[in-house]
Amino acid sequence: MAVPAQVTWANTSTKPGTDIRQLGGYVKRFFGKAPWQLGPEDAIASIEHDEWRFYVELDGEKVWLEVEEDPHGQKKLSLSGEVLAEEVFGSLPDKPTQ
């Protein structure tokens, strides 16, 4: 069963499309929260292997990350529903906050 992990920051490229270079956040543990960070390929593999389930919190609601494949077979992270991933990832801090 996948472990839910909150995405609180995303380092994205400056070109249009806002490609993710690195993302991270916190996962709940028995005694609090533990930080994590992954590259997009590792995050995609974790989702596909049902190891982790990532989400972004928007207006108090969890919006889950999904794996999307373009017509050329390239996989990328997207968000469930009508939410535009480029806007959300672009609005997050680009590095962990202390």
Side-chain angles (χ1 to χ4, degrees):
M1 187 161 130
V3 174
Q6 183 179 11
V7 177
T8 59
W9 62 272
N11 185 305
T12 57
S13 67
T14 56
K15 65 182 179 179
T18 316
D19 294 327
I20 298 170
R21 293 189 221 170
Q22 196 82 358
L23 60 130
Y26 294 95
V27 62
K28 288 185 181 177
R29 298 285 186 207
F30 291 112
F31 301 105
K33 295 180 180 181
W36 62 270
Q37 70 179 40
L38 294 171
E41 296 85 10
D42 292 330
I44 289 168
S46 295
I47 292 170
E48 292 182 331
H49 292 111
D50 199 34
E51 296 168 344
W52 290 63
R53 190 166 182 218
F54 304 100
Y55 68 92
V56 177
E57 198 163 299
L58 298 174
D59 299 324
E61 299 288 324
K62 291 180 182 176
V63 180
W64 298 96
L65 274 70
E66 299 176 344
V67 177
E68 185 178 287
E69 192 169 333
D70 71 16
H72 304 291
Q74 294 283 26
K75 294 180 182 181
K76 70 175 191 171
L77 294 169
S78 66
L79 296 170
S80 62
E82 300 291 317
V83 181
L84 294 175
E86 290 83 10
E87 289 179 13
V88 173
F89 293 135
S91 70
L92 291 173
D94 65 350
K95 58 186 172 190
T97 56
Q98 302 297 2

